Amino acid sequence: MHEPAIALIDCNSFYASCERVFRPDLKRTPIVVLSNNDGCVIARSADAKPYVKMGAPWFEIKNEVRRWGIVPFSSNYALYGDISERVMTVIESLVPALEVYSIDEAFADLTGMQGSLEAIGRDIRAQVLQRTGIPTGVGIATTKTLAKLANYAAKKWQQQTGGVVDIRDPVRRDKLLKVTPVEEVWGVGRRMNAHLQGMNIKTAWELSQADPWTLRKQFSVVIEKTARELRGTSCLALEEAAPPKQEICCSRAFGKRLREIGPIREAVATYAARACEKLRVQHSLTKRVRVSIRTGMFNPDEVKYAKGIICELPYPTDDTRLITRAAVTALDHLYRDGFAYAKAEILLMDLRKRGEFTDDLFAETQPAITERVMDVLDEINAKWGRGTLRPGRVPVAPEWGMRREMMSPSYTTRWDQLWTVRAV
C-alpha cells in the first residue's frame, strides 16, 4: 500500500503572469490587474506587492502607480481562462489524476508514482513554464491541506526551494507547521483567525495539536477536518469531476450609470444568455430565474433603489430564448424611472439534471426541437467565437459595457487579435 501523495500546483500571480507571457518586455516591470470597470486591484506581480495593496481602489492610487513605474492592465478574463485551460492540460498529461480547484491551481494525485516526487514536481513546473510561459509553485504532502501549506512554503522561499517543497517527511512537516502563522492555513479566514488567536492558537502547529472534537463543538466540522489534515490524516478526497453548481449567477456593474430602460434590457438579455451558456455546459435545467437591478449603493449623494423578482418558468429548461424573454419581462416590473442604475443580475435557481424534475403526468416539458436548436447555437459559438449567434436583444458592442480602458488583446481567442512579432 503506497503512502498518499498529493501535490498542489499553483500559478504564481496568475493574471499578471498571463499578461507577461505576451509582453516579454515587462518581465522585470511590476504589473497590477484591475477588477471589472477598472475598479480596484485584484492581482499583482510579486515585484508590485511592496507598493500596492490588494483591493486598493484604482482612482486613489493611479497617479502613484504610474509614478512608481507599475504598468496597469484591465482584466482580460477570456485570455486568462484560455491560458488556464492550457496549463491544466499540461499538468493533466503528467499525472494520474487531477482536480482543477480554481482558475490558477489544481490538486494532483502522485500516489504510487516512481522516482523522486520532488523531481516530478520540478518536471511539472518546468513543463508548464516551457509550454505556457506561466511560472508555478508545487507543494507535495500526504493531505490536501498540507499540500496547500507546502505550496505556501514553495512560494515564500522560492529561491531556497526552487519552487517545489515536499513535506511528506514528518520532521519537515512539523518544522513548517511551527513557523507558519495559523492565518496561512487553508480554510482559516479572518474571522476564524480571530477566534483561534483568542484560544492562543497562533501557528499551524498549535492548530494541528488542538483537540479535534473541541474544534468541532466550538466551530464546525470543517475546522475539525483541517486540524486532522494538518496531522496527516486525509479527510478531503480528490475530486476529479467538479460537482454541478446548484445556482448560476451572471452579474456585472455597468460601465456607466443607466437611466433608460432600453440599455438595461440589453444588459439583462446579455447576462441571461451568458448564464444559459454556463447552464448547458453542466447539462442542467432551471425552473426559476431571479432578476435584480440596483443603483450605486455607496455614494451618499445617489438616490438608492434595489429590487429583485423571481420568475417561475413554464417547465425546466435551458432555452436561452425562453429564459431571456422571462428575464426581460421581469425587468419591466422592476424598473422605476428617475434612478441611475449601476448593476443588474441574473440568477438561475433550482438547477437539476434532466430526469430529476418530478412533475405530474400532464406537466409541460421542453420540446425536443429546443434541445437541437440550443446544440446548434453552442456549436456555432464554440467554432466561431462567443456571440456569433445570439438573441436579437443582445448587442455586439454595448455602450453600457464594462470600462476596460487598459485591456490587452485577446491573443489566443480572437483571430483579429493574434499576437504579432515584428522583425527589428
Side-chain angles (χ1 to χ4, degrees), residues 127-142:
Q127 292 280 351
V128 171
L129 183 63
Q130 181 183 22
R131 293 159 68 178
T132 68
I134 301 297
T136 58
V138 180
I140 304 170
T142 55

Side-chain angles (χ1 to χ4, degrees), residues 387-408:
T388 301
L389 192 61
R390 62 189 184 280
R393 294 181 183 271
V394 177
V396 178
E399 61 174 15
W400 45 264
M402 287 191 297
R403 291 193 309 273
R404 293 194 283 187
E405 299 170 357
M406 297 165 285
M407 190 172 77
S408 56

